[in-house]
């Protein structure tokens, strides 16, 4: 199927199906242990997890404030990918780093999703220490780029208050 046709099909899917399809594609491109998708309300500086590969430990509930720190400046404000191949690299920004480690994850990758020049959400991939090589990051960036239009459409259908 041509890429443009795949994109049209994805955009017609519901948000939960788009997130699940992206999750499968990310798993095919990596050895991810935890996969989540987060949407943002930039005006209120809030974030909400709308998909989780581990709903027991990382449920799709609740809204949390977006803290002002170096991670936020890089990912949310500048729209740059964040790569941390060790807990020490992400622990200063992730208050839940102990839980992340308890799940066997010691590396994190956050890929911003932009619409109209502003980050509206992130795709978050966690795995074993040193998993995010340059080649793997490039492959995951491409996978997410292939889903960008569908993700933006899905984000528009998901409220900050309602579950998908």
């Amino acid at each position: 199927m041509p890429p443009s046709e795949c994109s049209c099909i994805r955009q017609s899917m519901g948000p939960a199906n788009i997130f699940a399809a992206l999750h499968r594609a990310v798993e095919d491109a990596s050895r991810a242990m935890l996969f989540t998708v987060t949407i943002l309300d930039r005006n209120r500086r809030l974030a909400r997890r709308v998909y989780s590969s581990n709903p027991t430990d990382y449920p799709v509930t609740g809204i949390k404030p977006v803290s002002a720190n170096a991670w936020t400046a890089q990912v949310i404000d500048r729209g740059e990918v964040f790569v941390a191949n060790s807990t020490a690299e992400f622990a200063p920004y992730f208050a839940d780093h102990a839980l992340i480690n308890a799940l066997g994850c010691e590396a994190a990758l956050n890929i911003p999703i932009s619409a109209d020049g502003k980050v509206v959400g992130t795709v978050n991939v966690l795995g074993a220490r040193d998993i995010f090589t340059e080649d793997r990051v490039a492959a995951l960036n491409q996978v997410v780029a292939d889903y960008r239009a569908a993700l933006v459409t899905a984000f528009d259908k998901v409220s900050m208050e309602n579950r998908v």
Side-chain angles (χ1 to χ4, degrees):
M1 188 176 309
S4 60
E5 192 173 328
C6 290
S7 179
C8 289
I9 291 170
R10 280 189 211 116
Q11 288 185 41
S12 67
M13 296 167 61
N17 292 331
I18 291 168
F19 303 147
L22 176 58
H23 176 201
R24 287 188 299 275
V26 165
E27 280 186 331
D28 289 346
S30 72
R31 293 176 294 189
M33 299 167 80
L34 178 63
F35 173 85
T36 66
V37 177
T38 305
I39 61 171
L40 301 171
D41 180 330
R42 292 178 64 96
N43 294 331
R44 296 188 299 166
R45 302 285 291 178
L46 298 173
R48 179 173 173 260
R49 188 177 307 114
V50 293
Y51 182 88
S52 176
S53 65
N54 182 342
T56 301
D57 293 310
Y58 278 89
V60 181
T61 58
I63 296 170
K64 65 181 183 178
V66 175
S67 302
N69 56 38
W71 182 93
T72 306
Q74 178 179 336
V75 178
I76 307 302
D77 298 337
R78 294 193 307 270
E80 299 170 357
V81 173
F82 175 81
V83 180
N85 272 305
S86 71
T87 302
E89 294 174 90
F90 68 76
Y93 313 114
F94 298 3
D96 57 348
H97 64 275
L99 174 57
I100 291 169
N101 287 164
L103 297 173
C105 301
E106 295 184 61
L109 173 68
N110 307 108
I111 302 173
I113 304 300
S114 297
D116 299 324
K118 294 186 179 186
V119 174
V120 294
T122 61
V123 171
N124 314 295
V125 185
L126 291 92
R129 183 180 179 93
D130 297 322
I131 191 173
F132 297 116
T133 63
E134 190 174 317
D135 289 345
R136 184 163 285 132
V137 170
L140 290 167
N141 271 317
Q142 185 58 56
V143 168
V144 172
D146 291 345
Y147 277 80
R148 193 197 75 69
L151 285 168
V152 170
T153 299
F155 290 171
D156 286 343
K157 295 176 182 176
V158 178
S159 135
M160 287 298 289
E161 286 75 26
N162 296 327
R163 299 176 77 180
V164 274

